[in-house]
Amino acid sequence: MSVIRTALSELIGMFIDDGSLATLCLILVAAVAGAVEFLALPPLIGGVLLLVGCLAILVHSVLRAVKR
């Protein structure tokens, strides 16, 4: 039973290793989706915002991990 629990913990940890990274990505996606849907932002601009935002979040996460 312990092996199964450890395996499941590692599997979940692969996807949710950094809680703030996942949270910021969800906030970014929600904000851009809202802007595209409700503010009539062109989808191409929304895609660019997602790309730039995700890259910025990734760089932030990597720099924070380096400092640890």
Short mmCIF file of all heavy atoms in Angstrom, two decimals:
data_model
loop_
_atom_site.label_atom_id
_atom_site.label_comp_id
_atom_site.label_asym_id
_atom_site.label_seq_id
_atom_site.Cartn_x
_atom_site.Cartn_y
_atom_site.Cartn_z
N MET A 1 0.82 -1.19 0.00
CA MET A 1 0.00 0.00 0.00
C MET A 1 0.87 1.26 0.00
O MET A 1 0.53 2.25 -0.62
CB MET A 1 -0.93 -0.04 1.22
CG MET A 1 -2.02 0.95 1.14
SD MET A 1 -3.04 0.64 -0.30
CE MET A 1 -4.59 1.10 0.30
N SER A 2 1.97 1.19 0.68
CA SER A 2 2.87 2.33 0.75
C SER A 2 3.49 2.64 -0.61
O SER A 2 3.70 3.81 -0.95
CB SER A 2 3.98 2.06 1.77
OG SER A 2 4.90 3.10 1.77
N VAL A 3 3.76 1.59 -1.39
CA VAL A 3 4.34 1.79 -2.72
C VAL A 3 3.34 2.49 -3.62
O VAL A 3 3.71 3.40 -4.39
CB VAL A 3 4.75 0.41 -3.31
CG1 VAL A 3 5.20 0.57 -4.74
CG2 VAL A 3 5.83 -0.22 -2.47
N ILE A 4 2.09 2.11 -3.55
CA ILE A 4 1.05 2.73 -4.36
C ILE A 4 0.89 4.20 -3.97
O ILE A 4 0.80 5.08 -4.84
CB ILE A 4 -0.29 1.98 -4.23
CG1 ILE A 4 -0.15 0.58 -4.82
CG2 ILE A 4 -1.41 2.75 -4.91
CD1 ILE A 4 -1.34 -0.31 -4.57
N ARG A 5 0.87 4.47 -2.67
CA ARG A 5 0.73 5.85 -2.20
C ARG A 5 1.92 6.70 -2.67
O ARG A 5 1.76 7.83 -3.10
CB ARG A 5 0.63 5.88 -0.68
CG ARG A 5 0.45 7.29 -0.14
CD ARG A 5 0.14 7.30 1.32
NE ARG A 5 -1.21 6.78 1.48
CZ ARG A 5 -1.61 6.05 2.51
NH1 ARG A 5 -0.76 5.74 3.46
NH2 ARG A 5 -2.84 5.63 2.61
N THR A 6 3.12 6.14 -2.61
CA THR A 6 4.31 6.85 -3.05
C THR A 6 4.26 7.11 -4.55
O THR A 6 4.59 8.21 -5.02
CB THR A 6 5.58 6.06 -2.70
OG1 THR A 6 5.60 5.84 -1.30
CG2 THR A 6 6.82 6.80 -3.11
N ALA A 7 3.85 6.11 -5.32
CA ALA A 7 3.75 6.27 -6.77
C ALA A 7 2.72 7.34 -7.14
O ALA A 7 2.97 8.18 -8.01
CB ALA A 7 3.39 4.94 -7.42
N LEU A 8 1.57 7.33 -6.49
CA LEU A 8 0.55 8.34 -6.76
C LEU A 8 1.03 9.73 -6.35
O LEU A 8 0.78 10.70 -7.06
CB LEU A 8 -0.74 8.00 -6.02
CG LEU A 8 -1.56 6.86 -6.62
CD1 LEU A 8 -2.76 6.55 -5.74
CD2 LEU A 8 -2.00 7.19 -8.02
N SER A 9 1.73 9.82 -5.25
CA SER A 9 2.27 11.10 -4.81
C SER A 9 3.27 11.65 -5.82
O SER A 9 3.27 12.85 -6.12
CB SER A 9 2.93 10.94 -3.45
OG SER A 9 3.57 12.11 -3.07
N GLU A 10 4.12 10.80 -6.34
CA GLU A 10 5.09 11.23 -7.35
C GLU A 10 4.40 11.63 -8.65
O GLU A 10 4.80 12.60 -9.30
CB GLU A 10 6.10 10.11 -7.63
CG GLU A 10 7.07 9.86 -6.50
CD GLU A 10 7.99 11.04 -6.27
OE1 GLU A 10 8.42 11.67 -7.25
OE2 GLU A 10 8.27 11.34 -5.10
N LEU A 11 3.37 10.90 -9.03
CA LEU A 11 2.63 11.22 -10.25
C LEU A 11 1.94 12.58 -10.13
O LEU A 11 2.03 13.40 -11.05
CB LEU A 11 1.60 10.13 -10.54
CG LEU A 11 0.78 10.30 -11.82
CD1 LEU A 11 1.70 10.21 -13.03
CD2 LEU A 11 -0.30 9.25 -11.89
N ILE A 12 1.31 12.82 -9.02
CA ILE A 12 0.66 14.12 -8.80
C ILE A 12 1.71 15.22 -8.71
O ILE A 12 1.52 16.32 -9.23
CB ILE A 12 -0.21 14.07 -7.53
CG1 ILE A 12 -1.42 13.16 -7.77
CG2 ILE A 12 -0.66 15.46 -7.12
CD1 ILE A 12 -2.23 12.86 -6.54
N GLY A 13 2.83 14.93 -8.09
CA GLY A 13 3.91 15.91 -7.96
C GLY A 13 4.49 16.34 -9.29
O GLY A 13 5.01 17.45 -9.42
N MET A 14 4.42 15.49 -10.30
CA MET A 14 4.92 15.86 -11.62
C MET A 14 4.09 16.99 -12.22
O MET A 14 4.61 17.84 -12.95
CB MET A 14 4.88 14.67 -12.58
CG MET A 14 5.96 13.66 -12.32
SD MET A 14 6.11 12.35 -13.56
CE MET A 14 4.53 12.15 -14.27
N PHE A 15 2.80 17.01 -11.92
CA PHE A 15 1.92 18.00 -12.51
C PHE A 15 1.69 19.21 -11.61
O PHE A 15 1.41 20.29 -12.09
CB PHE A 15 0.57 17.36 -12.86
CG PHE A 15 0.70 16.30 -13.90
CD1 PHE A 15 0.66 14.96 -13.55
CD2 PHE A 15 0.88 16.63 -15.23
CE1 PHE A 15 0.80 13.98 -14.52
CE2 PHE A 15 1.01 15.66 -16.19
CZ PHE A 15 0.97 14.32 -15.83
N ILE A 16 1.82 19.04 -10.32
CA ILE A 16 1.57 20.12 -9.38
C ILE A 16 2.78 20.25 -8.47
O ILE A 16 2.68 20.18 -7.25
CB ILE A 16 0.29 19.87 -8.56
CG1 ILE A 16 -0.87 19.56 -9.47
CG2 ILE A 16 -0.05 21.08 -7.70
CD1 ILE A 16 -2.15 19.20 -8.77
N ASP A 17 3.94 20.43 -9.06
CA ASP A 17 5.17 20.55 -8.28
C ASP A 17 5.25 21.93 -7.64
O ASP A 17 5.61 22.07 -6.48
CB ASP A 17 6.39 20.29 -9.16
CG ASP A 17 7.67 20.30 -8.39
OD1 ASP A 17 7.65 19.94 -7.20
OD2 ASP A 17 8.71 20.66 -8.97
N ASP A 18 4.95 22.93 -8.39
CA ASP A 18 5.03 24.30 -7.92
C ASP A 18 3.63 24.88 -7.93
O ASP A 18 3.09 25.19 -8.98
CB ASP A 18 5.97 25.10 -8.83
CG ASP A 18 6.26 26.48 -8.30
OD1 ASP A 18 5.70 26.83 -7.25
OD2 ASP A 18 7.03 27.20 -8.94
N GLY A 19 3.05 25.03 -6.75
CA GLY A 19 1.67 25.48 -6.65
C GLY A 19 1.45 26.86 -7.23
O GLY A 19 0.43 27.13 -7.87
N SER A 20 2.40 27.75 -7.03
CA SER A 20 2.22 29.10 -7.54
C SER A 20 2.30 29.13 -9.07
O SER A 20 1.63 29.93 -9.71
CB SER A 20 3.25 30.06 -6.95
OG SER A 20 4.55 29.74 -7.36
N LEU A 21 3.11 28.26 -9.64
CA LEU A 21 3.19 28.17 -11.10
C LEU A 21 1.84 27.78 -11.68
O LEU A 21 1.34 28.41 -12.62
CB LEU A 21 4.27 27.17 -11.52
CG LEU A 21 4.42 26.89 -13.02
CD1 LEU A 21 4.97 28.12 -13.72
CD2 LEU A 21 5.32 25.71 -13.24
N ALA A 22 1.23 26.76 -11.12
CA ALA A 22 -0.08 26.31 -11.60
C ALA A 22 -1.14 27.38 -11.37
O ALA A 22 -1.97 27.64 -12.25
CB ALA A 22 -0.47 25.01 -10.90
N THR A 23 -1.10 28.03 -10.21
CA THR A 23 -2.09 29.05 -9.90
C THR A 23 -1.98 30.24 -10.84
O THR A 23 -2.98 30.74 -11.36
CB THR A 23 -1.92 29.53 -8.44
OG1 THR A 23 -2.03 28.41 -7.57
CG2 THR A 23 -2.97 30.55 -8.07
N LEU A 24 -0.76 30.70 -11.07
CA LEU A 24 -0.56 31.84 -11.97
C LEU A 24 -0.99 31.50 -13.40
O LEU A 24 -1.56 32.35 -14.09
CB LEU A 24 0.90 32.29 -11.94
CG LEU A 24 1.34 33.01 -10.67
CD1 LEU A 24 2.84 33.26 -10.68
CD2 LEU A 24 0.58 34.31 -10.50
N CYS A 25 -0.72 30.28 -13.84
CA CYS A 25 -1.14 29.88 -15.18
C CYS A 25 -2.66 29.85 -15.30
O CYS A 25 -3.22 30.30 -16.31
CB CYS A 25 -0.56 28.51 -15.54
SG CYS A 25 1.18 28.57 -15.95
N LEU A 26 -3.33 29.36 -14.28
CA LEU A 26 -4.80 29.34 -14.30
C LEU A 26 -5.37 30.76 -14.31
O LEU A 26 -6.33 31.05 -15.03
CB LEU A 26 -5.34 28.57 -13.11
CG LEU A 26 -5.19 27.06 -13.17
CD1 LEU A 26 -5.63 26.42 -11.86
CD2 LEU A 26 -5.97 26.49 -14.33
N ILE A 27 -4.77 31.64 -13.52
CA ILE A 27 -5.22 33.04 -13.50
C ILE A 27 -5.00 33.69 -14.86
O ILE A 27 -5.87 34.41 -15.37
CB ILE A 27 -4.51 33.82 -12.38
CG1 ILE A 27 -4.99 33.33 -11.01
CG2 ILE A 27 -4.73 35.32 -12.52
CD1 ILE A 27 -4.19 33.85 -9.85
N LEU A 28 -3.85 33.43 -15.46
CA LEU A 28 -3.56 33.99 -16.78
C LEU A 28 -4.56 33.51 -17.82
O LEU A 28 -5.10 34.31 -18.59
CB LEU A 28 -2.13 33.63 -17.22
CG LEU A 28 -1.74 34.05 -18.63
CD1 LEU A 28 -1.67 35.57 -18.72
CD2 LEU A 28 -0.43 33.42 -19.02
N VAL A 29 -4.81 32.23 -17.85
CA VAL A 29 -5.75 31.67 -18.83
C VAL A 29 -7.15 32.25 -18.62
O VAL A 29 -7.83 32.63 -19.59
CB VAL A 29 -5.77 30.13 -18.75
CG1 VAL A 29 -6.92 29.56 -19.55
CG2 VAL A 29 -4.44 29.57 -19.24
N ALA A 30 -7.58 32.35 -17.36
CA ALA A 30 -8.91 32.91 -17.08
C ALA A 30 -8.99 34.38 -17.50
O ALA A 30 -9.99 34.81 -18.09
CB ALA A 30 -9.24 32.76 -15.60
N ALA A 31 -7.93 35.14 -17.23
CA ALA A 31 -7.94 36.56 -17.58
C ALA A 31 -7.96 36.77 -19.09
O ALA A 31 -8.72 37.60 -19.61
CB ALA A 31 -6.71 37.25 -16.97
N VAL A 32 -7.15 36.00 -19.80
CA VAL A 32 -7.11 36.16 -21.26
C VAL A 32 -8.41 35.66 -21.88
O VAL A 32 -8.95 36.29 -22.80
CB VAL A 32 -5.88 35.43 -21.85
CG1 VAL A 32 -5.95 35.40 -23.36
CG2 VAL A 32 -4.60 36.11 -21.39
N ALA A 33 -8.95 34.57 -21.37
CA ALA A 33 -10.22 34.07 -21.90
C ALA A 33 -11.33 35.08 -21.66
O ALA A 33 -12.17 35.32 -22.54
CB ALA A 33 -10.58 32.74 -21.25
N GLY A 34 -11.34 35.70 -20.49
CA GLY A 34 -12.33 36.73 -20.21
C GLY A 34 -12.18 37.93 -21.12
O GLY A 34 -13.16 38.50 -21.59
N ALA A 35 -10.94 38.32 -21.38
CA ALA A 35 -10.69 39.46 -22.26
C ALA A 35 -11.14 39.15 -23.69
O ALA A 35 -11.72 40.01 -24.35
CB ALA A 35 -9.21 39.83 -22.24
N VAL A 36 -10.88 37.95 -24.14
CA VAL A 36 -11.29 37.58 -25.51
C VAL A 36 -12.81 37.49 -25.59
O VAL A 36 -13.41 37.96 -26.56
CB VAL A 36 -10.63 36.24 -25.92
CG1 VAL A 36 -11.26 35.70 -27.19
CG2 VAL A 36 -9.13 36.41 -26.10
N GLU A 37 -13.42 36.94 -24.58
CA GLU A 37 -14.87 36.73 -24.62
C GLU A 37 -15.65 38.02 -24.37
O GLU A 37 -16.58 38.34 -25.12
CB GLU A 37 -15.27 35.69 -23.56
CG GLU A 37 -16.71 35.30 -23.59
CD GLU A 37 -17.13 34.55 -24.83
OE1 GLU A 37 -16.30 33.86 -25.44
OE2 GLU A 37 -18.31 34.67 -25.21
N PHE A 38 -15.29 38.77 -23.34
CA PHE A 38 -16.13 39.89 -22.91
C PHE A 38 -15.65 41.26 -23.42
O PHE A 38 -16.42 42.19 -23.49
CB PHE A 38 -16.24 39.91 -21.39
CG PHE A 38 -16.86 38.66 -20.84
CD1 PHE A 38 -16.15 37.82 -20.01
CD2 PHE A 38 -18.17 38.32 -21.16
CE1 PHE A 38 -16.72 36.68 -19.50
CE2 PHE A 38 -18.74 37.17 -20.67
CZ PHE A 38 -18.02 36.35 -19.83
N LEU A 39 -14.36 41.38 -23.71
CA LEU A 39 -13.84 42.67 -24.17
C LEU A 39 -13.59 42.68 -25.68
O LEU A 39 -13.01 43.63 -26.20
CB LEU A 39 -12.53 43.00 -23.43
CG LEU A 39 -12.64 43.12 -21.91
CD1 LEU A 39 -11.27 43.40 -21.31
CD2 LEU A 39 -13.64 44.19 -21.52
N ALA A 40 -13.99 41.63 -26.34
CA ALA A 40 -13.86 41.50 -27.80
C ALA A 40 -12.40 41.64 -28.25
O ALA A 40 -12.12 42.19 -29.30
CB ALA A 40 -14.74 42.50 -28.52
N LEU A 41 -11.49 41.12 -27.44
CA LEU A 41 -10.08 41.10 -27.82
C LEU A 41 -9.91 40.06 -28.93
O LEU A 41 -10.44 38.95 -28.84
CB LEU A 41 -9.22 40.71 -26.61
CG LEU A 41 -7.72 40.77 -26.76
CD1 LEU A 41 -7.27 42.22 -26.81
CD2 LEU A 41 -7.04 40.06 -25.61
N PRO A 42 -9.21 40.39 -29.99
CA PRO A 42 -9.00 39.41 -31.07
C PRO A 42 -8.28 38.14 -30.55
O PRO A 42 -7.36 38.26 -29.74
CB PRO A 42 -8.13 40.15 -32.07
CG PRO A 42 -8.35 41.59 -31.80
CD PRO A 42 -8.61 41.69 -30.32
N PRO A 43 -8.73 36.98 -30.98
CA PRO A 43 -8.12 35.74 -30.49
C PRO A 43 -6.62 35.65 -30.74
O PRO A 43 -5.89 35.07 -29.93
CB PRO A 43 -8.87 34.65 -31.26
CG PRO A 43 -10.17 35.26 -31.59
CD PRO A 43 -9.89 36.71 -31.81
N LEU A 44 -6.14 36.22 -31.84
CA LEU A 44 -4.71 36.19 -32.11
C LEU A 44 -3.94 36.96 -31.03
O LEU A 44 -2.90 36.50 -30.55
CB LEU A 44 -4.42 36.77 -33.49
CG LEU A 44 -2.95 36.72 -33.93
CD1 LEU A 44 -2.46 35.27 -33.98
CD2 LEU A 44 -2.78 37.39 -35.27
N ILE A 45 -4.46 38.10 -30.62
CA ILE A 45 -3.84 38.87 -29.55
C ILE A 45 -3.91 38.09 -28.23
O ILE A 45 -2.97 38.08 -27.45
CB ILE A 45 -4.52 40.25 -29.39
CG1 ILE A 45 -4.45 41.04 -30.68
CG2 ILE A 45 -3.92 41.03 -28.23
CD1 ILE A 45 -3.05 41.40 -31.11
N GLY A 46 -5.03 37.42 -28.02
CA GLY A 46 -5.16 36.58 -26.83
C GLY A 46 -4.12 35.47 -26.81
O GLY A 46 -3.54 35.17 -25.77
N GLY A 47 -3.87 34.87 -27.95
CA GLY A 47 -2.85 33.82 -28.04
C GLY A 47 -1.46 34.36 -27.76
O GLY A 47 -0.66 33.72 -27.07
N VAL A 48 -1.18 35.55 -28.27
CA VAL A 48 0.13 36.17 -28.01
C VAL A 48 0.27 36.47 -26.51
O VAL A 48 1.32 36.25 -25.92
CB VAL A 48 0.31 37.44 -28.86
CG1 VAL A 48 1.53 38.23 -28.43
CG2 VAL A 48 0.40 37.07 -30.33
N LEU A 49 -0.81 36.98 -25.91
CA LEU A 49 -0.78 37.26 -24.47
C LEU A 49 -0.54 35.98 -23.66
O LEU A 49 0.19 35.99 -22.68
CB LEU A 49 -2.07 37.93 -24.03
CG LEU A 49 -2.26 39.37 -24.43
CD1 LEU A 49 -3.65 39.86 -24.03
CD2 LEU A 49 -1.19 40.24 -23.80
N LEU A 50 -1.18 34.89 -24.08
CA LEU A 50 -0.96 33.61 -23.40
C LEU A 50 0.50 33.16 -23.53
O LEU A 50 1.10 32.71 -22.55
CB LEU A 50 -1.88 32.53 -23.94
CG LEU A 50 -3.32 32.56 -23.47
CD1 LEU A 50 -4.13 31.49 -24.20
CD2 LEU A 50 -3.41 32.36 -21.98
N LEU A 51 1.05 33.26 -24.71
CA LEU A 51 2.43 32.86 -24.93
C LEU A 51 3.38 33.69 -24.08
O LEU A 51 4.21 33.14 -23.34
CB LEU A 51 2.80 32.99 -26.41
CG LEU A 51 4.27 32.70 -26.75
CD1 LEU A 51 4.59 31.25 -26.46
CD2 LEU A 51 4.56 33.06 -28.18
N VAL A 52 3.26 35.00 -24.15
CA VAL A 52 4.15 35.88 -23.41
C VAL A 52 3.95 35.70 -21.90
O VAL A 52 4.91 35.64 -21.13
CB VAL A 52 3.94 37.35 -23.83
CG1 VAL A 52 4.68 38.31 -22.93
CG2 VAL A 52 4.35 37.53 -25.27
N GLY A 53 2.70 35.59 -21.49
CA GLY A 53 2.41 35.41 -20.06
C GLY A 53 2.95 34.11 -19.52
O GLY A 53 3.54 34.08 -18.43
N CYS A 54 2.77 33.03 -20.26
CA CYS A 54 3.29 31.72 -19.80
C CYS A 54 4.81 31.72 -19.74
O CYS A 54 5.40 31.16 -18.81
CB CYS A 54 2.79 30.60 -20.71
SG CYS A 54 1.07 30.18 -20.43
N LEU A 55 5.44 32.35 -20.72
CA LEU A 55 6.91 32.43 -20.69
C LEU A 55 7.38 33.26 -19.50
O LEU A 55 8.36 32.90 -18.83
CB LEU A 55 7.44 33.01 -22.00
CG LEU A 55 7.32 32.10 -23.22
CD1 LEU A 55 7.76 32.84 -24.47
CD2 LEU A 55 8.12 30.83 -23.02
N ALA A 56 6.69 34.35 -19.20
CA ALA A 56 7.06 35.18 -18.05
C ALA A 56 6.87 34.41 -16.74
O ALA A 56 7.73 34.48 -15.85
CB ALA A 56 6.23 36.46 -18.05
N ILE A 57 5.79 33.68 -16.63
CA ILE A 57 5.54 32.88 -15.44
C ILE A 57 6.61 31.80 -15.29
O ILE A 57 7.12 31.54 -14.20
CB ILE A 57 4.13 32.26 -15.48
CG1 ILE A 57 3.08 33.36 -15.33
CG2 ILE A 57 3.95 31.21 -14.40
CD1 ILE A 57 1.66 32.90 -15.62
N LEU A 58 6.98 31.16 -16.40
CA LEU A 58 8.01 30.13 -16.36
C LEU A 58 9.36 30.70 -15.93
O LEU A 58 10.05 30.12 -15.09
CB LEU A 58 8.12 29.46 -17.72
CG LEU A 58 9.13 28.32 -17.83
CD1 LEU A 58 8.77 27.19 -16.87
CD2 LEU A 58 9.20 27.82 -19.25
N VAL A 59 9.73 31.85 -16.49
CA VAL A 59 11.00 32.48 -16.11
C VAL A 59 10.99 32.85 -14.64
O VAL A 59 11.96 32.62 -13.91
CB VAL A 59 11.27 33.72 -17.00
CG1 VAL A 59 12.39 34.57 -16.44
CG2 VAL A 59 11.59 33.29 -18.42
N HIS A 60 9.87 33.38 -14.18
CA HIS A 60 9.74 33.74 -12.76
C HIS A 60 9.93 32.51 -11.88
O HIS A 60 10.62 32.55 -10.86
CB HIS A 60 8.37 34.38 -12.53
CG HIS A 60 8.09 34.71 -11.11
ND1 HIS A 60 7.76 33.77 -10.17
CD2 HIS A 60 8.09 35.89 -10.45
CE1 HIS A 60 7.55 34.35 -9.01
NE2 HIS A 60 7.76 35.64 -9.17
N SER A 61 9.30 31.41 -12.25
CA SER A 61 9.39 30.18 -11.47
C SER A 61 10.81 29.62 -11.45
O SER A 61 11.30 29.17 -10.42
CB SER A 61 8.42 29.13 -12.04
OG SER A 61 8.52 27.92 -11.35
N VAL A 62 11.47 29.66 -12.60
CA VAL A 62 12.85 29.15 -12.69
C VAL A 62 13.79 30.00 -11.85
O VAL A 62 14.62 29.48 -11.10
CB VAL A 62 13.32 29.08 -14.16
CG1 VAL A 62 14.82 28.84 -14.25
CG2 VAL A 62 12.56 28.00 -14.91
N LEU A 63 13.65 31.32 -11.94
CA LEU A 63 14.51 32.20 -11.15
C LEU A 63 14.28 32.02 -9.65
O LEU A 63 15.22 32.06 -8.87
CB LEU A 63 14.27 33.66 -11.55
CG LEU A 63 14.76 34.04 -12.94
CD1 LEU A 63 14.39 35.49 -13.25
CD2 LEU A 63 16.24 33.82 -13.08
N ARG A 64 13.03 31.80 -9.27
CA ARG A 64 12.74 31.54 -7.85
C ARG A 64 13.32 30.21 -7.39
O ARG A 64 13.84 30.10 -6.29
CB ARG A 64 11.23 31.58 -7.62
CG ARG A 64 10.89 31.72 -6.15
CD ARG A 64 9.41 31.83 -5.91
NE ARG A 64 8.79 30.59 -6.33
CZ ARG A 64 7.69 30.53 -7.04
NH1 ARG A 64 7.09 31.62 -7.42
NH2 ARG A 64 7.17 29.38 -7.37
N ALA A 65 13.30 29.22 -8.27
CA ALA A 65 13.87 27.90 -7.92
C ALA A 65 15.39 27.97 -7.81
O ALA A 65 15.98 27.28 -6.99
CB ALA A 65 13.46 26.86 -8.95
N VAL A 66 16.02 28.80 -8.62
CA VAL A 66 17.48 28.94 -8.57
C VAL A 66 17.91 29.56 -7.25
O VAL A 66 18.93 29.19 -6.70
CB VAL A 66 17.98 29.78 -9.77
CG1 VAL A 66 19.42 30.21 -9.58
CG2 VAL A 66 17.81 29.00 -11.06
N LYS A 67 17.09 30.48 -6.74
CA LYS A 67 17.42 31.15 -5.48
C LYS A 67 17.31 30.22 -4.28
O LYS A 67 17.87 30.50 -3.24
CB LYS A 67 16.52 32.36 -5.27
CG LYS A 67 16.83 33.48 -6.23
CD LYS A 67 15.92 34.66 -5.96
CE LYS A 67 16.21 35.77 -6.97
NZ LYS A 67 15.32 36.92 -6.77
N ARG A 68 16.57 29.13 -4.40
CA ARG A 68 16.40 28.19 -3.28
C ARG A 68 17.64 27.45 -3.07
O ARG A 68 18.47 27.03 -2.93
CB ARG A 68 15.30 27.20 -3.55
CG ARG A 68 13.94 27.80 -3.50
CD ARG A 68 12.91 26.73 -3.67
NE ARG A 68 11.66 27.32 -4.11
CZ ARG A 68 10.64 26.63 -4.51
NH1 ARG A 68 10.68 25.35 -4.57
NH2 ARG A 68 9.54 27.23 -4.88
#
